[in-house]
Amino acid sequence: SGSGAVTRGRAGRFQKETIPMSLQESIKPDGVLCNATARSKKHCLEILSELLIRNIPDIASDDIFECLISRERLGCTSLDRGAAFPHCRVKGIDDSVAVLIKLSEPVDFDSADGEPVDIVLAMMVPEEVEDHHRADVELVTRVLADEGLRARLRETTSSKDLYDALINGADMTCQANCA
């Protein structure tokens, strides 16, 4: 979950500041897959669903897949320039959970810019979204918008390198933009 400092708000009441999480809190090394093969956007979402529930035995990947598909129906989650951020709300979790795949061949993701997608970061957030979960989503959007980071992710050849590039790049992006 996101971290927060307690400060005095209006009328002297204490409130929690919303500070974006570190991606390390929601994405673990075993949630990263380099050079994955997906036949389509739908197949990509299936792979992501399986990765997302890897460490959550009480949730079925089919349920997550349906959540991701439902979210896509509301509007494409492509961020353009070959990156996408499928995300959904999930009952039964308390913290954001994220995974990342780099596809060996890009797939059509119905992107506004028409560019196929090869970098896909998916996230589940709790059904009851709080400010720190919104901050998690905003952080991922900022990170994936970083052109230099996307280039570094594309250069990786192993899942470990992909994870390291994401975490290091996210930290640098946040230091530059999260002050």
Side-chain angles (χ1 to χ4, degrees):
S1 70
S3 58
V6 176
T7 59
R8 283 198 186 269
R10 274 194 206 135
R13 280 180 258 156
F14 287 98
Q15 62 189 36
K16 190 174 177 183
E17 288 181 19
T18 302
I19 299 171
M21 62 164 185
S22 154
L23 272 181
Q24 272 179 294
E25 293 177 45
S26 69
I27 190 166
K28 303 300 176 203
D30 68 351
V32 173
L33 190 57
C34 188
N35 297 322
T37 302
R39 297 178 301 276
S40 63
K41 176 180 178 177
K42 182 178 175 184
H43 186 219
C44 182
L45 295 175
E46 289 172 353
I47 294 167
L48 293 164
S49 300
E50 290 172 17
L51 280 174
L52 281 165
I53 59 98
R54 184 174 272 179
N55 296 312
I56 308 172
D58 297 339
I59 299 176
S61 65
D62 289 347
D63 293 341
I64 301 308
F65 175 70
E66 287 305 319
C67 287
L68 290 173
I69 289 287
S70 294
R71 172 57 187 85
E72 285 296 318
R73 286 188 191 118
L74 295 176
C76 180
T77 57
S78 169
L79 301 174
D80 294 336
R81 297 189 189 101
F85 178 38
H87 53 285
C88 62
R89 294 180 183 193
V90 176
K91 191 175 189 171
I93 63 171
D94 296 320
D95 298 310
S96 299
V97 177
V99 296
L100 172 69
I101 61 175
K102 182 184 98 165
L103 298 172
S104 55
E105 294 292 325
V107 296
D108 179 13
F109 226 86
D110 305 317
S111 305
D113 67 357
E115 208 173 307
V117 164
D118 63 344
I119 302 291
V120 189
L121 196 152
M123 181 178 279
M124 305 185 298
V125 296
E127 194 171 46
E128 296 298 321
V129 176
E130 296 177 14
D131 287 345
H132 64 274
H133 300 122
R134 287 183 190 88
D136 296 347
V137 170
E138 290 169 15
L139 172 62
V140 170
T141 304
R142 276 196 302 273
V143 165
L144 289 178
D146 183 324
E147 196 169 327
L149 176 56
R150 285 194 318 271
R152 288 189 298 280
L153 295 175
R154 288 187 173 106
E155 291 168 3
T156 61
T157 57
S158 73
S159 295
K160 181 191 180 322
D161 291 345
L162 182 61
Y163 178 80
D164 291 344
L166 175 69
I167 298 305
N168 294 334
D171 287 346
M172 289 189 312
T173 298
C174 195
Q175 286 172 5
N177 299 305
C178 298

